[in-house]
Amino acid sequence: MAPQHGRRRARIAFSDSAAKQLENLTSEAQIHALDRALVVVSVDPDVGEPIPGTTAGPQLREYADEVERVRLLYWVTALRTVVVVAYLEV
């Protein structure tokens, strides 16, 4: 019998501006909050709310984690890669 596999997680990539934000994370609490949000988005890239805008570019989405008090701004590629544009603490 073939093993049952769950749904594949999306790959996470960071824009240049998001990568710069990551360099400034210093506390373990900040890293934990970001990790938690990234796991949620990687499991279900459609979890975030669409941000209204033009249809010319990728559809930006916003995921807010009220427990950790963070937001991710991201878009999803055709191959289901999540590109994080910004990480914000609320």
Side-chain angles (χ1 to χ4, degrees):
M1 183 183 288
Q4 295 291 328
H5 294 285
R7 198 169 155 199
R8 186 176 79 93
R9 285 187 180 187
R11 189 174 143 255
I12 302 288
F14 297 95
S15 68
D16 290 341
S17 61
K20 286 187 186 290
Q21 285 182 296
L22 294 178
E23 291 173 3
N24 294 325
L25 294 181
T26 56
S27 77
E28 199 153 322
Q30 290 175 314
I31 294 168
H32 173 77
L34 175 61
D35 283 346
R36 179 183 164 105
L38 291 174
V39 167
V40 170
V41 171
S42 73
V43 170
D44 182 8
D46 297 321
V47 71
E49 296 294 321
I51 297 174
T54 66
T55 57
Q59 174 67 59
L60 282 175
R61 301 184 72 81
E62 175 183 22
Y63 169 71
D65 184 326
E66 300 301 325
V67 174
E68 297 291 344
R69 300 178 47 82
V70 299
R71 291 187 306 155
L72 291 178
L73 301 180
Y74 66 96
W75 58 280
V76 182
T77 69
L79 297 175
R80 304 294 287 171
T81 296
V82 174
V83 178
V84 176
V85 177
Y87 159 72
L88 308 165
E89 292 183 68
V90 211

